[in-house]
Amino acid sequence: MEKNYILTKWLNDELTEAELAEFKTDPDFYNYEKIKNYSAQLKVADFDEAKVLENILAHKKTTPKVIPLYKNWMFRVAAILVLALGITFTLRNFSEETQFASNGARTTFSLPDNSQVVLNSGSEIEYKKWNWDNHRNLELNGEAYFRVAKGKKFEVKTNLGKVTVLGTQFNVKARKNRFDITCFEGRVKVNYKDKEIILTPGKSVAFENGKQLNLLVDTQKPEWLENKIAFNKENLSNILDEIQRQYNVTIEVKAGYSNELFTGKMPLDNLDVALQIIATTYHLKPNKISPNKIIFEGK
């Protein structure tokens, strides 16, 4: 009852500053604000007590029953709570769910069917919970590893292409103009522009600027899950972008360098070693301006 009383005072803008500050700490305050905004757009007929009493007297010739005013207040609070439940249900089930991994971090979460997802640094996934078992679709921006529970078709859409599976383990990366897909278990169908490719365990394919690269892998899961970055025929620009995401640093190159493509691994837990591998490969010299800023210069 106390919470209903506070809620009613808040809806009528009758809370003191202290009461309002305390109410904002309520875990449901965010939903209440949305409810208030929705409610402001609704037009509800005024409660006509005289009309209700007249109808009662017209249909029942017995001792009139007086409806206390506090019951009218309770009806209004009950209606608000019912509306709150309805809007909360809609927001939680029909709105898009977003999972995000910031630079230098990872995010692990489960989808409604208990499929497991690990998001790599600087990546984002959006999906809808509603009717998930029949429409297992999500949008990926960045890189993620999936362990998909068996069920109906599961689709991962990116701005570069689409990956379709039924139940399997695979990795998808969509960065800039490069699209990498690796299958670790089951079968994966990849759609890129007008091409369709089926991958089986141990097979990987990449597309960059429209060019297809067929690759092989010898691991049971992505190296980045074990604090290593694996590059397959990657240019320096892509390598530096990945290092910046993984270590949450800024890197500049103030020297010319070759267009040599790099294939190999770098650590995710030792920035100095990763910088030295880049420097040796591309004949550059790393200079740490600050803990979070590195400049590569010519040797």
Side-chain angles (χ1 to χ4, degrees):
M1 177 64 73
E2 175 65 21
K3 190 168 184 178
N4 292 343
Y5 174 71
I6 294 296
L7 178 60
T8 303
K9 287 186 66 177
W10 174 68
L11 289 171
N12 291 326
D13 296 321
E14 295 175 354
L15 290 179
T16 65
E17 290 186 6
E19 290 174 331
L20 179 59
E22 183 179 357
F23 185 55
K24 286 184 177 180
T25 64
D26 191 299
D28 293 323
F29 179 75
Y30 175 74
N31 287 332
Y32 289 148
E33 275 202 312
K34 287 193 173 183
I35 293 164
K36 187 175 182 180
N37 292 332
Y38 279 115
S39 300
Q41 302 174 27
L42 300 176
K43 292 185 179 181
V44 181
D46 294 334
F47 184 79
D48 192 338
E49 296 177 29
K51 186 66 175 177
V52 171
L53 183 58
E54 179 182 338
N55 289 337
I56 293 173
L57 293 174
H59 291 87
K60 193 170 184 180
K61 303 295 184 179
T62 57
T63 304
K65 292 184 179 179
V66 178
I67 301 177
L69 290 177
Y70 79 87
K71 286 191 176 180
N72 180 18
W73 174 79
M74 286 295 293
F75 291 152
R76 292 177 184 270
V77 172
I80 291 171
L81 293 178
V82 170
L83 180 62
L85 290 173
I87 293 176
T88 300
F89 175 83
T90 300
L91 291 174
R92 289 180 180 177
N93 291 279
F94 288 90
S95 60
E96 284 194 337
E97 185 83 9
T98 301
Q99 296 286 347
F100 180 75
S102 58
N103 287 347
R106 296 176 194 163
T107 298
T108 301
F109 64 97
S110 298
L111 293 166
D113 60 355
N114 288 323
S115 293
Q116 303 295 309
V117 183
V118 185
L119 268 178
N120 205 348
S121 300
S123 302
E124 182 178 337
I125 275 180
E126 289 187 352
Y127 67 96
K128 291 182 180 179
K129 291 182 178 180
W130 179 251
N131 200 23
W132 172 260
D133 288 341
N134 293 317
H135 298 282
R136 303 197 298 174
N137 302 323
L138 57 81
E139 293 189 8
L140 168 67
N141 179 15
E143 182 173 14
Y145 171 64
F146 298 87
R147 296 184 64 182
V148 179
K150 292 188 181 298
K152 293 188 177 181
K153 182 174 65 175
F154 185 103
E155 287 188 349
V156 178
K157 298 178 181 178
T158 76
N159 64 322
L160 296 175
K162 181 175 67 175
V163 179
T164 306
V165 301
L166 292 177
T168 185
Q169 298 181 36
F170 62 102
N171 192 82
V172 180
K173 179 167 69 173
R175 306 280 197 193
K176 288 186 174 179
N177 295 320
R178 178 152 175 149
F179 188 36
D180 289 73
I181 309 92
T182 303
C183 177
F184 296 98
E185 179 183 287
R187 288 163 60 88
V188 173
K189 182 172 73 173
V190 180
N191 291 96
Y192 176 81
K193 295 185 178 180
D194 59 345
K195 295 182 179 180
E196 182 174 293
I197 298 172
I198 301 296
L199 297 179
T200 53
K203 298 294 180 63
S204 180
V205 66
F207 301 92
E208 186 166 16
N209 297 319
K211 183 180 179 181
Q212 179 177 332
L213 303 171
N214 294 314
L215 310 170
L216 291 176
V217 294
D218 57 1
T219 59
Q220 300 300 312
K221 57 184 177 181
E223 284 87 348
W224 58 268
L225 293 179
E226 299 178 336
N227 286 324
K228 298 177 184 178
I229 316 173
F231 296 103
N232 288 298
K233 301 178 182 179
E234 298 263 13
N235 60 46
L236 180 59
S237 177
N238 290 347
I239 294 170
L240 294 181
D241 283 346
E242 195 62 37
I243 294 295
Q244 290 179 101
R245 273 189 293 269
Q246 298 293 340
Y247 286 98
N248 196 21
V249 296
T250 300
I251 301 177
E252 294 181 19
V253 179
K254 292 187 176 180
Y257 56 87
S258 71
N259 293 323
E260 179 182 353
L261 298 180
F262 176 80
T263 296
K265 299 178 182 179
M266 297 184 191
L268 280 175
D269 52 6
N270 192 321
L271 177 59
D272 291 333
V273 172
L275 295 177
Q276 194 55 51
I277 293 173
I278 295 172
T280 301
T281 302
Y282 291 93
H283 308 291
L284 299 169
K285 179 181 178 180
N287 183 14
K288 270 192 176 182
I289 304 301
S290 70
N292 295 316
K293 185 171 183 178
I294 300 97
I295 292 179
F296 276 108
E297 301 172 337
K299 286 188 175 181

